[in-house]
Amino acid sequence: IISGGLFYGKGVVSFKNSIDEVRSGINLVQNAALKTIAFSKDVVKAEDDVEQEMEEAREATTRDGQICGLDIEISSQIRTAYDELSKNIVELKNMLDTSLQSFSHDMESLIVLTDQVDSSLDSADIIFYVLITISIVLIGIILCMLAGVFFAWKG
């Protein structure tokens, strides 16, 4: 009886607890991946907003090319610096877009992988129920053996 109880108490219960802990870890990983994907989308949207604001700011000059009533030479220098900044921002945006798309794809692959692991854990649940059945059978066999010893002793 003690061995059957130990098998159930230490083996089967520990096996089930391990499966539950792995599942909770999988859920944490999936939640983190989903939040990362959402963050990537937010960054891309913010990039688009910055690009749109820069276009609007570029158009905020008068017809003669002046910025806020400054003389043409200063306006030209500001425009040149602004154009360089715009070019650098566009390059950064393109680089970020590529990196974030790749990163989002990796996160989606991670979610698919963790879904597959979770499906495999469903198979492990079947093993858990088989272990419970085995432990019940073992306890039954032990009780039958004890009953046999008891009846042999009583004569």
Side-chain angles (χ1 to χ4, degrees):
I1 292 179
I2 293 172
S3 65
L6 285 174
F7 177 75
Y8 178 78
K10 295 295 181 182
V12 175
V13 172
S14 296
F15 181 75
K16 180 64 173 165
N17 289 341
S18 296
I19 289 174
D20 291 341
E21 289 297 320
V22 170
R23 274 210 172 103
S24 72
I26 287 172
N27 288 336
L28 286 173
V29 168
Q30 286 180 335
N31 288 337
L34 289 171
K35 287 179 182 178
T36 302
I37 290 170
F39 177 73
S40 297
K41 289 178 182 177
D42 289 344
V43 169
V44 169
K45 184 182 179 314
E47 289 173 351
D48 292 340
D49 292 345
V50 167
E51 189 173 24
Q52 182 181 1
E53 290 292 327
M54 290 182 67
E55 282 300 318
E56 290 173 6
R58 183 161 183 48
E59 295 169 1
T61 59
T62 60
R63 290 189 177 158
D64 60 0
Q66 290 181 319
I67 298 174
C68 298
L70 297 172
D71 92 1
I72 293 179
E73 184 178 325
I74 294 174
S75 293
S76 176
Q77 290 173 353
I78 291 172
R79 176 68 55 214
T80 302
Y82 184 79
D83 288 343
E84 185 66 30
L85 177 64
S86 295
K87 178 182 164 195
N88 290 337
I89 288 175
V90 167
E91 288 175 7
L92 178 63
K93 180 187 179 305
N94 292 337
M95 184 176 61
L96 278 174
D97 283 346
T98 303
S99 297
L100 288 175
Q101 286 173 354
S102 175
F103 191 65
S104 291
H105 178 71
D106 291 345
M107 290 295 108
E108 289 168 358
S109 297
L110 178 64
I111 290 171
V112 168
L113 177 66
T114 55
D115 282 339
Q116 290 173 348
V117 170
D118 195 35
S119 296
S120 296
L121 288 178
D122 290 339
S123 300
D125 273 344
I126 294 170
I127 293 172
F128 170 73
Y129 293 115
V130 168
L131 289 175
I132 289 176
T133 304
I134 290 172
S135 66
I136 290 171
V137 169
L138 283 175
I139 290 172
I141 290 172
I142 291 169
L143 289 176
C144 288
M145 291 172 64
L146 284 175
V149 169
F150 177 75
F151 290 129
W153 177 48
K154 285 290 186 178

